[in-house]
Structures are given as structure tokens and as C-alpha cells.
Amino acid sequence: MGNDIAYARIHPAIGIARVGNSTREDGWFHGPEVPDPPAAKPGFAKDGQGAIKRQAARFRIYGYGADGRVVRELTTADPQVHIEWSVHVANKKAAWYEFSLPLDIPDMKDHPEPLRNKKVTDRASLIIDPGRKTLTAGSKQAVEFTGGSFLGTPVPLGRMHSDEHGRLVVLGGSGTSRNPEGGELTSYGNNDGWCDDTSDGPVTATLTIDGEPVRVDPAWVVVAPPNYAPDVKTVRTLHDLLYDLFVAQGTLAPPKTVNFDRDVKPILHRFCELQWVNKGFATHFGFGGPQHFLAPDHLAKLASPSPTYEELRRQVYTSLRDPKRDGLSPMPWPWIYGDGMKSHPDSVLQYLALSPTQDATLLSWMKGEFETTPWKGFPSRLEDAPVADQPALLDRAALDFCLADAFHPGCEVTWPVRHTTMYSEPLRIRHRPSGSVEPDYGATLSQARALGADGPLHEQGPGDLTRWMAVPWQTDTASCRSGYESNANLGPRYDPYLPTFWPARVPNHVLKESDYHIVNKEITQTDEDGREAAFARRASWLRGLKGDYKQQLKQAVAEWHEFGIVEVRPYTVGDGRFPERLQVESKPGFPLDGVSDNRNLTAIHVPAATAAEDALTAQAAGEILALTGLAADEVTIGYFDKLDPFGEDAGRHAEGGA
């Protein structure tokens, strides 16, 4: 019965799980398995006690014929199919190198990265590695990722089980970060003595059909931070980046023709959907805004190849960032920080640009060279797709809800993933053979070594993707804000809402639940102006954090699960005054009575020496508040090492010039 199967593959090729602190047996859910799944019901992401549920990565095995075509999914429902799964996750962050900026950009040519925890000589004690775990598909057992430790303290990394069809389900850690010695948090991403329970590693399987072994191409799992806005996609997703990477390599083909519904509209839609996580995008691209692309009349013009609307298309296209043309200007779209973002900008990578493939798509659209044939869209459930389409849908769905930029360092993964040497084929991570030992790269890792033939961008082992990320993850989540600015550059053109880092995963400004009830007329005796004001109002998502920057980092590590989740809610009034679907922040767990909606609205960076001296900080604060017109609780003023990758601000001040 298996003679039609020549080999098999695990999909998704890269699966994404996310941490959560719910301890309930049902305190988890499956991650997206189609690129545009239906919105989940409000409350789905947290349990009844307010804890965040874990997102599981589910892996399936598909059989392929000798011609490379998908034959069928292989499950234990077929008694002739036997599967044994293996997963080996690890966390190597504390034993790896610090992160300043991506080592593959020009900015880092002369800036080698030092080791984290460089005073710890027993480097193995910094690696959380529970070892390879195995599971027989179809069994009812759950296998825990235990056995690893950090500086002698046990750190579990999650568990795995199989579903009723023998598919593998991987759950990550509980989101707990710790310092066994009780040290402070001082950095967005390089905190010595600390660890978290994110992880990554290979997913493999042995397969027999009718007792005959069948080759199975392996996959990879990444355990990432929570997704605080699960129905919002960024303008350039991780799938966009990797698709473009392999198109450039020639191993994937771009679409032969550009279709408006399939290729153009999704990009425009993402600009508009960022309205639910950033007030700057809401004002310009959101409902009723000057560039609300989804407004029916506006969308009809954008969807027409007629010369009548050529200039409209041209104005949209030319508003997009071209780094060679635009240099350091923050004004071109999208208003998102890039890989080279610093408090004193000097790199064309200060801001994000769309991928070359996205750009080529929009250029064809601008010229009117596109099809208008209606596209039915992705299926809402994987089971509704032909079996031949299911593997690619799984691969894309996992990556479409991940960030590509800014890799500063990133949310799920970071800059190494844009190097083809990391892959055995498109989207499939190249595995390091068991027993193969990675070279020791020394006390520092230079750009030349990192990108060299003997560098770390080739075969990968457990923990190798996430080791480049921030440790612990919560400090970076609390640091990726919008409207970052240096006090040296403040003026009348300062915008506290823009640009932004990662709003699709880490929101900046959100529609509160109480304002949603006003908009939806669930609170009576509200006039129309009051409804308009409630809809336009946005609250700082970080308003639950208190104190100075370092105090906020400490609180974020302890209380990350108290942040609200941006969820889809219906607009039921039916008068067309507001969108049919609104995305609303669930009620945060922080005590917010008497707290301004704009607390921690924006962050102003001052030199390290200034932040260390109370008198200088007070003087700087007074000047900043006078320049911006913001209230004291609306501004977090401090030294943000995320914006000062090479310690330039500290150095300038020490030399006498702040």
C-alpha cells in the first residue's frame, strides 16, 4: 500500500510555537495552519485566571511520489503507517555572543561581538539542553523537555505529544525568565546571568509503511515569545523575506503575472490593519484616514488598471521607501524602524523597506501591468484545501505571522535566516549531523568570521536559531516601542507615534475594551461625537509598566502575561459608521485605576552618563517635556542601549560632548 510513496516530508518546514504561563490542561491552542485563518473568539488567548495560553506548533508528514508530487498525508489512521517523532530543542542564548546590530550589515564591519557571560568559564553550564526526546505517534503519552539546566538550576523547555492522527504537537516553555543569582536587568537584550525558556531545534521522524522504511525530510521548531496581536500581519512578514531570498537564489519562481487580489491587495491591507496596533498608522491608513486603501471607492480605483488611475497608483508606489533615494528620511512608507536603527542615525538601514519581490509586484501594479481576475483567497481551514496544496499552506501559515524586520534583533528569529547557507532547500533548515561539533569562534565574533565559510551560518543544531536573540525575551518586548527619539533631535516635527518597531507582534497603541463598548453603543446615552472620539482614541499598550526604564524591564519580566491581547470584535450597530470588524485590547491584568491612557506613550533616549545622574536627568526631562508638550508620565526618559549599539552616547559624554 506504500509503494506509491517514494519519500516523505515534515510540514511546516519551520514551525512556530510560543510560550505561555497557563497551567491548565487546555491552556494551549494550535498555531495558524492556513495563511488567513478565521479570527478566534475573544478571550481565546488567555485562560480563566488571566494566564496566557501557549501556542503549539503542529507537524504533519506528507508522502511524495517519485515525481515530487504530494500523494497524501500519512497518519496513524492507516494501520500500515508507523511514525516515531524526535525533537531536540535547546536554549543557547547565555552562552552565545551579545547582539548590537545584525552582523551582516555594513554598520558592523568593525564591531565584533563579545561573549555573553564572558566571566563564566564553564560554558556548558549556560546552555539549557534537555537532549533529544522521542515519541511514538498515536500513543497517549506526553514527553517533557526536561533535563536541561542553567547554572545548575533546572529549566524545563516544554513538552510534546501526538494528536489523534499521530501528528506531532510541540508546546514551548512557560515564559519564565530567571537569574539564579538575582542580578539586575540593565539591557534590552544582553543581560548576563539571565536565561529564559524560549528554544529551537530539529524535528525529525522515522517512518515505516508496511514495515518498509521511508526517508523523511526533517523540519525545525522555534519557540518564540507570545503574539500579542494574533490577527495582525506586518507589512513584510518572515515568509515575504524568505520567499524573496529563494526567488533571488533562483530556487523559487516569482508569480508569472501579478494579480491584484492575490498579490497587491494583501500588502495594502497590512498597512491598514496596523491601525489596530499603532495610532500613527490608524490616523493615516486606518478607517476614515486619507490612505485607507480598503475603503470601497478607494479600493475600486486602486484595483483598476485604467490609465485614469495611473497617477493614483504612482503616488502610492513612489511613497514607498527606496533606501538609495530616501537615505535617512523617516517619511517614506512603511513607518517602521530597520536593522540599522540607532539614536544618532547614520545608516540607510535606519528604516524598513519592502522586499525586492514586493517592490517588483507593486511596480508592475503601478504600471497597470496586472490582472483583475477575482481570486478566491486561501481556504479558511487546511482540510478545505486539496492535499497537494496543504504542505505549502502549512509552511506559509507558520511564517506569515512572524516578523522579518527590524532584526534588532527580532521577535521569533533574526538576521541569520536571510542567508541561503542555512538551508538544505527553500524554507528547510540545514541540520547539523548528530555528533558533529561546531567550532569554537573565540572570545569575540567578527563580521568576517560570522559570514565566513567556517562561520555559524551553515549547519544548525539545537538552540542555534534563537541564540542570537535577546535574553531574556521580555526585556526586548518592553523595549520595542514607537516614537523613539534622542533628546538631541527633538523639535516640532517629532511624532510620538512613529516610526515603530514591531507593532504587529508587540502593539504600541490599542483600542481599549471600554472604548469599544462606546463605539458599539453598548454604553447608552453616548452622542455621535462621543463615539467618534472613542474610536479615534488609542491607549498606550505599555501603560501598565511603572517607574524608570530599568524598573519597567523588571516588571515586564515578572508580569508579561498581564498585557492585553488585541482581539477581533464585531461592530454590531450596522450603520456603516465604523468597520465591521474592530480589533480591541482585552482587559489588561495590571491595576490601571487612575493611570493615564498615555503613560509610557513614547521613549526619549539620553546619554548613559546623563541617565545616571539625577540632576542631569531632571534637567533633560524638563527640556524634553517643554519641547514635546507631553506630560511627565507620557514619556519614558532614559538611556536605551537598544539605540546605542556601540556605546557612542556614553563615549561622547565622557569626552565632554553630549
Side-chain angles (χ1 to χ4, degrees):
M1 189 165 176
N3 58 8
D4 56 343
I5 305 295
Y7 63 95
R9 285 178 169 168
I10 302 172
H11 293 277
I14 303 174
I16 306 296
R18 297 182 186 274
V19 299
N21 68 324
S22 176
T23 58
R24 292 172 50 131
E25 187 59 33
D26 61 351
W28 61 275
F29 58 91
H30 292 299
E33 295 189 318
V34 291
D36 291 324
K41 294 181 179 179
F44 85 100
K46 290 192 176 186
D47 66 20
Q49 286 70 50
I52 289 182
K53 296 179 182 179
R54 288 184 281 182
Q55 174 180 301
R58 179 160 58 177
F59 295 89
R60 306 170 186 237
I61 297 178
Y62 286 84
Y64 288 74
D67 59 0
R69 299 191 181 198
V70 180
V71 177
R72 65 181 183 274
E73 184 185 356
L74 302 172
T75 73
T76 52
D78 182 345
Q80 295 174 319
V81 170
H82 182 270
I83 302 167
E84 184 174 82
W85 293 101
S86 295
V87 177
H88 189 170
V89 293
N91 179 309
K92 296 180 177 177
K93 290 181 179 183
W96 195 235
Y97 297 89
E98 292 186 0
F99 181 92
S100 298
L101 291 173
L103 267 170
D104 61 348
I105 67 175
D107 312 57
M108 290 296 289
K109 181 180 180 182
D110 300 317
H111 296 280
E113 295 282 26
L115 285 168
R116 289 170 173 156
N117 297 288
K118 59 186 176 183
K119 294 181 180 179
V120 179
T121 56
D122 181 6
R123 305 303 293 178
S125 70
L126 299 168
I127 296 173
I128 307 165
D129 187 352
R132 180 174 175 265
K133 306 290 186 178
T134 60
L135 171 71
T136 300
S139 69
K140 295 183 179 180
Q141 68 178 137
V143 177
E144 302 287 336
F145 300 144
T146 53
S149 62
F150 177 75
L151 296 176
T153 299
V155 180
L157 295 180
R159 73 166 196 255
M160 64 176 173
H161 65 270
S162 66
D163 69 10
E164 65 274 19
H165 299 289
R167 301 162 184 146
L168 176 68
V169 179
V170 177
L171 296 170
S174 64
T176 302
S177 298
R178 69 200 82 195
N179 183 324
E181 298 178 356
E184 292 187 355
L185 295 157
T186 59
S187 168
Y188 75 98
N190 299 303
N191 291 288
D192 281 355
W194 283 83
C195 74
D196 61 33
D197 57 7
T198 62
S199 63
D200 71 279
V203 175
T204 58
T206 57
L207 167 69
T208 60
I209 303 177
D210 261 348
E212 294 295 322
V214 178
R215 186 193 97 214
V216 182
D217 292 342
W220 206 270
V221 65
V222 173
V223 179
N227 183 348
Y228 289 103
D231 291 287
V232 180
K233 294 183 183 180
T234 189
V235 293
R236 179 180 173 181
T237 69
L238 186 56
H239 182 268
D240 291 327
L241 180 139
L242 296 185
Y243 177 73
D244 182 77
L245 177 70
F246 293 108
V247 165
Q249 186 191 46
T251 50
L252 288 180
K256 293 181 181 179
T257 58
V258 172
N259 177 281
F260 182 82
D261 281 355
R262 183 192 64 209
D263 305 315
V264 178
K265 184 180 175 182
I267 300 175
L268 303 178
H269 180 266
R270 293 177 195 171
F271 274 87
C272 297
E273 288 299 277
L274 289 178
Q275 68 179 295
W276 306 117
V277 288
N278 179 277
K279 187 171 181 176
F281 275 84
T283 301
H284 196 78
F285 299 103
F287 186 84
Q291 291 289 355
H292 185 229
F293 300 128
L294 304 182
D297 290 346
H298 195 27
L299 185 62
K301 295 174 182 177
L302 295 169
S304 170
S306 168
T308 303
Y309 305 114
E310 180 179 3
E311 180 59 15
L312 175 62
R313 298 193 300 271
R314 191 195 325 274
Q315 288 190 18
V316 172
Y317 178 74
T318 56
S319 295
L320 295 166
R321 180 169 290 106
D322 177 349
K324 293 180 180 179
R325 176 197 68 180
D326 301 315
L328 298 175
S329 173
M331 295 308 297
W333 307 339
W335 297 318
I336 297 175
Y337 293 122
D339 290 351
M341 191 273 190
K342 297 188 282 288
S343 63
H344 297 275
D346 59 8
S347 168
V348 294
L349 298 175
Q350 178 78 4
Y351 303 107
L352 169 69
L354 297 185
S355 74
T357 299
Q358 288 176 311
D359 185 80
T361 295
L362 293 176
L363 178 60
S364 294
W365 167 72
M366 184 203 78
K367 294 177 179 178
E369 299 170 354
F370 63 96
E371 295 179 348
T372 58
T373 306
W375 179 61
K376 63 180 181 180
F378 294 111
S380 59
R381 301 185 314 146
L382 187 70
E383 292 74 16
D384 295 334
V387 69
D389 295 344
Q390 290 178 15
L393 288 171
L394 287 166
D395 290 349
R396 176 167 181 170
L399 302 175
D400 246 8
F401 291 89
C402 297
L403 302 182
D405 299 280
F407 283 146
H408 204 286
C411 191
E412 295 87 8
V413 289
T414 188
W415 65 271
V417 299
R418 60 186 172 208
H419 291 264
T420 57
T421 54
M422 299 271 290
Y423 302 88
S424 57
E425 61 180 72
L427 306 184
R428 208 165 287 273
I429 298 295
R430 188 184 302 276
H431 291 218
R432 183 180 303 122
S434 178
S436 176
V437 179
E438 186 177 24
D440 182 346
Y441 301 113
T444 62
L445 182 63
S446 68
Q447 182 181 85
R449 185 68 191 276
L451 303 182
D454 61 345
L457 304 186
H458 301 275
E459 296 171 340
Q460 301 294 295
D464 284 1
L465 294 191
T466 54
R467 62 184 173 179
W468 306 87
M469 307 299 288
V471 57
W473 66 266
Q474 294 99 330
T475 53
D476 203 17
T477 293
S479 300
C480 285
R481 311 185 182 196
S482 65
Y484 262 125
E485 189 54 273
S486 163
N487 66 323
N489 301 324
L490 290 171
R493 289 185 172 86
Y494 170 65
D495 188 334
Y497 302 106
L498 295 166
T500 173
F501 259 113
W502 302 336
R505 297 287 72 80
V506 183
N508 307 135
H509 325 106
V510 290
L511 180 63
K512 295 190 303 179
E513 195 171 51
S514 57
D515 283 332
Y516 163 71
H517 293 315
I518 293 172
V519 170
N520 205 39
K521 285 191 172 180
E522 295 170 28
I523 295 179
T524 59
Q525 298 180 341
T526 301
D527 60 26
E528 292 306 301
D529 289 343
R531 294 174 68 213
E532 293 281 354
F535 179 74
R537 199 158 40 233
R538 295 291 190 270
S540 168
W541 186 71
L542 292 172
R543 66 193 183 280
L545 299 182
K546 300 174 289 187
D548 63 25
Y549 176 56
K550 290 183 180 179
Q551 291 171 322
Q552 291 181 23
L553 295 183
K554 181 179 180 180
Q555 184 184 355
V557 166
E559 301 177 14
W560 57 272
H561 53 280
E562 306 288 9
F563 288 113
I565 306 293
V566 178
E567 305 168 334
V568 173
R569 307 280 184 99
Y571 178 59
T572 60
V573 179
D575 57 6
R577 291 183 59 84
F578 300 101
E580 293 181 359
R581 293 183 0 149
L582 300 96
Q583 296 204 34
V584 182
E585 176 201 44
S586 66
K587 187 176 181 180
F590 302 106
L592 295 176
D593 288 345
V595 173
S596 166
D597 283 352
N598 288 334
R599 186 163 76 176
N600 298 321
L601 171 66
T602 191
I604 307 297
H605 173 85
V606 298
T610 298
E613 299 182 34
D614 291 342
L616 288 174
T617 301
Q619 179 183 344
E623 295 171 356
I624 288 165
L625 298 179
L627 284 168
T628 62
L630 296 170
D633 67 345
E634 296 176 339
V635 186
T636 303
I637 300 171
Y639 172 73
F640 298 92
D641 64 326
K642 188 175 186 71
L643 279 65
D644 190 25
F646 310 133
E648 294 169 346
D649 287 332
R652 260 195 292 271
H653 189 86
E655 293 165 9

